[in-house]
Every structure is written in structure tokens, then in C-alpha cells.
Amino acid sequence: MNPIVKCPKCQKEEELNHVLTAQSNQNVIYNCPACHYKVRNIMTSKG
């Protein structure tokens, strides 16, 4: 089972692998499929 992530805008809950995209340059993008809220360049422990 994947961790659940809650959208900060609409509060809809989705599995982690449905809303986060990791890019090769270590950037992570969050995209809510319900309200299309998007956050780019999320900092991670890798940088």
C-alpha cells in the first residue's frame, strides 16, 4: 500500500504515486488530479 497524500487546496486524498512526479534533476512536482493544484520544485532530502 502506498502512502496517502492530502491536497493542501481541496483536501482530496490520493496515493503518493498518483500525485508526485520525480524529475531527473532531483525536483519533485505535486499535481492534484481533482482540482489541478500544482506545486513545483519541492525540496527533498536529496536536494
Side-chain angles (χ1 to χ4, degrees):
M1 183 174 177
N2 287 319
I4 302 295
V5 177
K6 185 183 284 189
C7 176
K9 185 174 179 184
C10 73
Q11 307 302 308
K12 173 96 168 129
E13 294 182 343
E14 290 286 339
E15 289 186 355
L16 182 72
N17 62 337
H18 291 249
V19 295
L20 291 183
T21 304
Q23 297 181 316
S24 59
N25 61 358
Q26 303 298 328
N27 287 334
V28 175
I29 299 173
Y30 171 83
N31 188 21
C32 178
C35 71
H36 304 290
Y37 176 73
K38 187 176 280 190
V39 178
R40 295 179 175 270
N41 302 326
I42 299 170
M43 292 299 293
T44 66
S45 62
K46 297 266 183 179

